[in-house]
Amino acid sequence: DQQVKQNSPSLSVQEGRISILNCDYTNSMFDYFLWYKKYPAEGPTFLISISSIKDKNEDGRFTVFLNKSAKHLSLHIVPSQPGDSAVYFCAAYTNFNKFYFGSGTKLNVKP
Amino acid sequence: DTGVSQDPRHKITKRGQNVTFRCDPISEHNRLYWYRQTLGQGPEFLTYFQNEAQLEKSRLLSDRFSAERPKGSFSTLEIQRTEQGDSAMYLCASSPQGLAKNIQYFGAGTRLSVL
């Protein structure tokens, strides 16, 4: 059963515009959420996270929003840059030390 | 570079052979995770160590799979009698204790191809 879902396999955005990546989850026990970025031939790298007690966390150009009632989180990148082109994974965590990852969204930022 | 190191980067083997992968985590990290990633999917949790203790195993980890972390430092993942369905990227990640425990640092992975 896929507890974390990213329904958009790909997204294309013009440089300078906003990129919005979405993620849905089913398990209300998740208490921590993360976004990872992955370039080809590299492992995923941590980008930003949010605790379930918050609804927003911001770090520079990256903002993560959490809507617990809808079991939905999103990552906003403003402004988008060509170097942001990568695959983005959302992940969710419970206190049982297991992380669940979505299937990823491939972002292409066009110059 | 003191990141997570995985060896080998690529492994090609014939069906039925045994393979072993190694992961060296970031030195001060006591938590170590193994994941499997297939094409078009995200990483799937396989197993988790805290120091040398294996505390969690996924049902994906059949009896052909075994993982060890004998001294709480590096870890090995062995697959016995490999099958074509084992072809995937195997990722290792580590995380520290304390408040940052939820942030995992990943290696570049070992890509396994079973012919």
Side-chain angles (χ1 to χ4, degrees):
Chain A
D1 62 338
Q2 197 168 2
Q3 300 192 41
V4 178
K5 294 182 181 180
Q6 294 177 257
N7 292 317
S8 298
S10 63
L11 175 67
S12 188
V13 170
Q14 201 68 38
E15 180 180 6
R17 306 295 291 268
I18 184 171
S19 296
I20 301 176
L21 295 93
N22 294 303
C23 180
D24 296 295
Y25 62 95
T26 58
N27 189 343
S28 58
M29 297 298 291
F30 289 143
D31 57 9
Y32 203 79
F33 303 88
L34 309 95
W35 284 94
Y36 283 84
K37 179 169 72 174
K38 185 183 183 305
Y39 293 118
E42 296 182 11
T45 56
F46 170 73
L47 190 58
I48 191 170
S49 63
I50 188 167
S51 165
S52 61
I53 63 173
K54 295 186 175 182
D55 54 18
K56 177 182 175 181
N57 188 29
E58 192 171 355
D59 183 3
R61 297 186 296 113
F62 303 91
T63 303
V64 56
F65 295 93
L66 175 62
N67 182 334
K68 284 183 291 184
S69 61
K71 293 191 176 67
H72 178 84
L73 69 156
S74 60
L75 174 67
H76 292 209
I77 306 173
V78 183
S80 301
Q81 300 174 353
D84 296 329
S85 296
V87 178
Y88 289 78
F89 294 100
C90 68
Y93 169 87
T94 72
N95 265 333
F96 297 105
N97 295 307
K98 289 180 69 172
F99 289 79
Y100 296 84
F101 283 79
S103 55
T105 296
K106 185 174 183 180
L107 174 65
N108 179 33
V109 180
K110 297 177 287 186
Chain B
D1 188 311
T2 57
V4 177
S5 176
Q6 292 189 246
D7 183 69
R9 292 293 303 273
H10 299 94
K11 179 70 177 179
I12 300 173
T13 191
K14 293 183 179 178
R15 189 177 52 175
Q17 297 294 305
N18 298 344
V19 294
T20 300
F21 311 140
R22 177 179 169 123
C23 171
D24 287 273
I26 294 172
S27 59
E28 61 269 24
H29 288 184
N30 69 331
R31 296 166 182 251
L32 187 146
Y33 301 78
W34 283 99
Y35 291 87
R36 182 176 69 186
Q37 185 179 14
T38 52
L39 196 63
Q41 299 299 315
E44 291 179 286
F45 171 83
L46 291 179
T47 191
Y48 156 66
F49 289 86
Q50 184 164 322
N51 298 312
E52 65 276 9
Q54 188 174 18
L55 299 184
E56 190 78 36
K57 286 173 62 173
S58 166
R59 59 182 171 81
L60 294 174
L61 214 64
S62 76
D63 57 2
R64 296 185 298 105
F65 288 70
S66 63
E68 293 182 344
R69 194 182 183 197
K71 297 181 180 179
S73 56
F74 74 93
S75 176
T76 58
L77 177 69
E78 182 183 15
I79 309 174
Q80 296 182 327
R81 305 181 303 280
T82 52
E83 302 173 355
Q84 287 185 325
D86 297 331
S87 296
M89 176 73 82
Y90 290 85
L91 293 164
C92 175
S94 68
S95 66
Q97 300 182 80
L99 295 176
K101 66 177 182 180
N102 295 336
I103 299 173
Q104 298 180 315
Y105 296 80
F106 282 85
T110 294
R111 181 169 296 283
L112 174 65
S113 297
V114 182
L115 305 179

